[in-house]
Amino acid sequence: KSDELQGRMVGLGLLDVIKTLNQTEDKELKENVEKVRSALKTFLGHLSTFEKYTTEVMSGQLQKSAVHNETFWRKNSAMFEKESYRHIRKLVELLDSKELETLEMACYDLGEFARFHPDGRSLVTRMGGKGKIMRLMMHRDETVAKQALLAIQKLMVSNWEFLTKS
């Protein structure tokens, strides 16, 4: 239960709030904030990259970070089969978010899943992700639209490795 709570605190950006609170002149508050920061840092230090990703996805707020890259997806694409593709279902759900960075990262991640998982393209499509991503190609924010376009390319191309070698 404690790990779940700490994971939610990290996922909701409490570390950023702590940085702000640390600027206070109140000595007692500063000490308490430092205790919470230290506990969260320890918690994060014990998590694997996949666990960090899980914490972020399940929080419902995605941010550009070290887990949103090709290496992570190449290494972990099979891990997403657990719990009936719970993470992928959540990413498809996050395509309805109002947060621009969450939309951008959800598109990127679904594109990478489609690229590296043997059934990724069909799974994302069956879960309704393809249609949602196609709508995001017309998004008013350029970065969201760009990531949506890149994700659709990854969903459409069957031999991605061939294209990167040409």
Side-chain angles (χ1 to χ4, degrees):
K1 195 79 173 168
S2 175
D3 284 353
E4 183 182 330
L5 178 61
Q6 288 177 327
R8 293 192 77 191
M9 287 191 283
V10 169
L12 293 171
L14 187 61
L15 288 173
D16 292 333
V17 173
I18 286 173
K19 286 178 190 172
T20 304
L21 287 174
N22 236 355
Q23 299 170 4
T24 184
E25 299 297 321
D26 185 330
K27 188 176 180 177
E28 185 179 347
L29 177 60
K30 217 172 196 172
E31 288 172 7
N32 289 331
V33 166
E34 181 54 34
K35 287 178 188 174
V36 172
R37 189 196 67 76
S38 178
L40 290 177
K41 288 284 188 183
T42 300
F43 168 75
L44 279 175
H46 295 330
L47 293 179
S48 70
T49 310
F50 187 78
E51 290 168 327
K52 288 177 186 176
Y53 183 80
T54 297
T55 299
E56 184 178 339
V57 169
M58 294 308 156
S59 78
Q61 294 184 326
L62 304 180
Q63 299 174 344
K64 291 178 187 172
S65 66
V67 294
H68 301 281
N69 64 53
E70 179 180 333
T71 304
F72 171 81
W73 284 98
R74 186 181 304 275
K75 180 179 167 188
N76 293 295
S77 66
M79 297 283 288
F80 291 90
E81 295 172 9
K82 294 179 180 178
E83 299 177 51
S84 300
Y85 298 94
R86 170 177 77 127
H87 299 80
I88 304 306
R89 291 181 194 287
K90 182 68 175 182
L91 286 171
V92 170
E93 181 184 308
L94 292 176
L95 293 172
D96 296 321
S97 174
K98 301 293 182 220
E99 299 292 324
L100 297 179
E101 194 169 20
T102 295
L103 289 172
E104 182 183 347
M105 292 295 92
C107 287
Y108 175 82
D109 288 349
L110 287 168
E112 290 299 273
F113 177 73
R115 184 173 163 205
F116 290 111
H117 190 278
D119 298 320
R121 292 169 48 235
S122 64
L123 285 166
V124 171
T125 301
R126 277 196 312 248
M127 291 178 190
K130 185 176 179 181
K132 288 182 176 187
I133 294 170
M134 289 182 88
R135 284 190 291 280
L136 288 173
M137 290 191 315
M138 307 294 251
H139 198 275
R140 59 180 163 67
D141 183 82
E142 285 182 26
T143 58
V144 171
K146 178 182 176 184
Q147 283 305 325
L149 176 61
L150 291 170
I152 288 298
Q153 288 175 336
K154 293 170 189 175
L155 284 164
M156 302 296 267
V157 174
S158 61
N159 192 347
W160 189 261
E161 296 301 317
F162 174 76
L163 287 180
T164 59
K165 291 178 183 171
S166 12

